[in-house]
Amino acid sequence: MMTQSHDSNSEIIALVFRLKTGCRQYLFYSLEELQAWAGRKPYKDEFVFVIVAFPDGHCSDKQRVHASKLVEVVEYGLLSEAGQLSPKMQKAYSRLLKHGRLIKYTGGFWSAPGVEIRHSHITNTPVPAWHFGTQTIQGLIRRKLIKVVRERKWEDKVYPVEVAL
């Protein structure tokens, strides 16, 4: 267990288990503390299990996560629980965790690369089998849960066309 001292007002935000060390447990009281730990050389290249602890006392289910994504997963859990993410944003973030990145298809549809393309019955235009709208993706960008990794300039404006964790 971590031996850092915390004042009595500190609340645990996450419990992390490392399986490589016989299921060693670590408690974290802030995202900064978690980020510093996850970036250390012994941990940064391994998968760990995390349980997010919410302010009301309940916890998330155990999730297997790469240490490099640990802070994003905990922050996402805390924001979702606080009602700061819409159900669409939660679903988009979950898809991003699964696929690693999302790209913008023609028509403003955001989906994973290589997703099945279907055609609209009305307009016969290509549409990804599952997709999210630009407002949903912009909401995740504003909350700094995802980052823009590629942009495109059009009519003197810059638009994101690819996002990742």
Side-chain angles (χ1 to χ4, degrees), residues 19 31 39 63 83-86 93 112 116 120 123 142-143 145:
L19 297 180
L31 290 172
Q63 300 175 64
Q84 295 181 13
L85 294 180
S86 70
Y93 191 81
E116 178 189 349
S120 167
T123 62
R142 279 192 306 276
R143 288 164 178 81
L145 288 173

Side-chain angles (χ1 to χ4, degrees), residues 70-91:
L70 198 52
V71 173
E72 290 91 343
V73 168
V74 171
E75 185 175 32
Y76 161 74
L78 293 171
L79 286 172
S80 296
E81 190 65 23
Q84 295 181 13
L85 294 180
S86 70
K88 284 183 183 179
M89 284 188 220
Q90 291 177 30
K91 191 170 183 178

Side-chain angles (χ1 to χ4, degrees), residues 13-125:
I13 63 163
L15 173 62
V16 176
F17 302 89
R18 284 184 71 210
L19 297 180
K20 283 188 172 182
T21 58
C23 210
R24 187 156 181 184
Q25 304 169 20
Y26 299 84
L27 293 174
F28 295 95
Y29 295 85
S30 71
L31 290 172
E32 293 79 18
E33 181 182 27
L34 182 63
Q35 186 171 25
W37 180 87
R40 291 181 57 205
K41 188 174 183 178
Y43 317 125
K44 71 178 184 176
D45 292 324
E46 68 182 79
F47 281 90
V48 296
F49 286 96
V50 62
I51 297 173
V52 180
F54 302 112
D56 69 359
H58 82 282
C59 297
S60 71
D61 292 333
K62 178 176 70 174
Q63 300 175 64
R64 184 175 183 263
V65 177
H66 193 273
S68 66
K69 306 297 182 203
L70 198 52
V71 173
E72 290 91 343
V73 168
V74 171
E75 185 175 32
Y76 161 74
L78 293 171
L79 286 172
S80 296
E81 190 65 23
Q84 295 181 13
L85 294 180
S86 70
K88 284 183 183 179
M89 284 188 220
Q90 291 177 30
K91 191 170 183 178
Y93 191 81
S94 294
R95 290 282 181 141
L96 189 55
L97 279 174
K98 182 178 178 181
H99 295 280
R101 64 190 180 113
L102 298 177
I103 60 173
K104 188 175 186 180
Y105 284 83
T106 302
F109 302 105
W110 286 85
S111 192
V115 74
E116 178 189 349
I117 301 296
R118 299 177 180 163
H119 290 279
S120 167
H121 297 294
I122 299 169
T123 62
N124 200 33
T125 57

